[in-house]
């Protein structure tokens, strides 16, 4: 079973202060695109040690998603020490995530 998206549990200021490699994954549990993409996302992210992954339930008016200008789900924001270094929207192949992963895992 795929992990569940949770209502916003962090603020933008807290996200900007996260140390190390982090992936913020925006979407919803009921989104068909999110469920379909999970078969690609899960194995790639789970294979990386020390990677923090936060699944954030997004929607109209949610401040964290709006601060990152999220428009489509799933959107994955790749952070290194709180700074965005890559973004992947609706990945369908593991190669869609490869370049972003190379930027945060060194």
């Amino acid at each position: 079973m795929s992990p569940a998206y949770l209502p916003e549990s962090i603020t933008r200021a807290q996200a900007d202060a996260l140390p190390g490699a982090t992936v913020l994954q925006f979407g919803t549990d009921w989104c068909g695109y999110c469920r379909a993409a999970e078969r690609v996302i899960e194995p790639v992210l789970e294979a990386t040690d020390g990677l923090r992954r936060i699944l954030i339930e997004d929607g109209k008016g949610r401040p964290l998603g709006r601060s990152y200008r999220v428009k489509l789900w799933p959107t994955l924001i790749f952070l290194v020490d709180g700074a965005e270094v890559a973004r992947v929207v609706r990945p369908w192949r593991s190669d869609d995530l490869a370049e972003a992963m190379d930027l945060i895992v060194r």
Side-chain angles (χ1 to χ4, degrees):
M1 176 156 201
S2 12
Y5 289 90
L6 301 173
E8 292 183 9
S9 58
I10 63 170
T11 65
R12 177 62 189 259
Q14 290 169 324
D16 290 344
L18 290 170
T22 303
V23 176
L24 301 178
Q25 183 175 331
F26 292 89
T28 67
D29 290 331
W30 53 262
C31 169
Y33 291 106
C34 299
R35 289 188 304 217
E38 196 59 38
R39 68 177 173 74
V40 173
I41 297 168
E42 185 78 21
V44 172
L45 298 186
E46 288 296 317
T48 306
D49 291 333
L51 178 66
R52 180 184 302 108
R53 178 182 181 196
I54 304 172
L55 282 82
I56 301 163
E57 183 179 80
D58 194 35
K60 186 176 182 178
R62 299 272 175 103
L64 189 58
R66 302 304 64 80
S67 74
Y68 282 105
R69 297 178 310 280
V70 172
K71 296 193 185 286
L72 297 171
W73 302 326
T75 293
L76 289 83
I77 309 289
F78 293 79
L79 307 173
V80 173
D81 294 330
E84 181 177 342
V85 295
R87 172 183 300 238
V88 177
V89 179
R90 291 189 176 167
W92 300 121
R93 303 169 300 137
S94 58
D95 290 346
D96 295 339
L97 298 167
E99 186 176 333
M101 291 299 293
D102 287 345
L103 291 172
I104 65 168
V105 179
R106 298 170 193 209

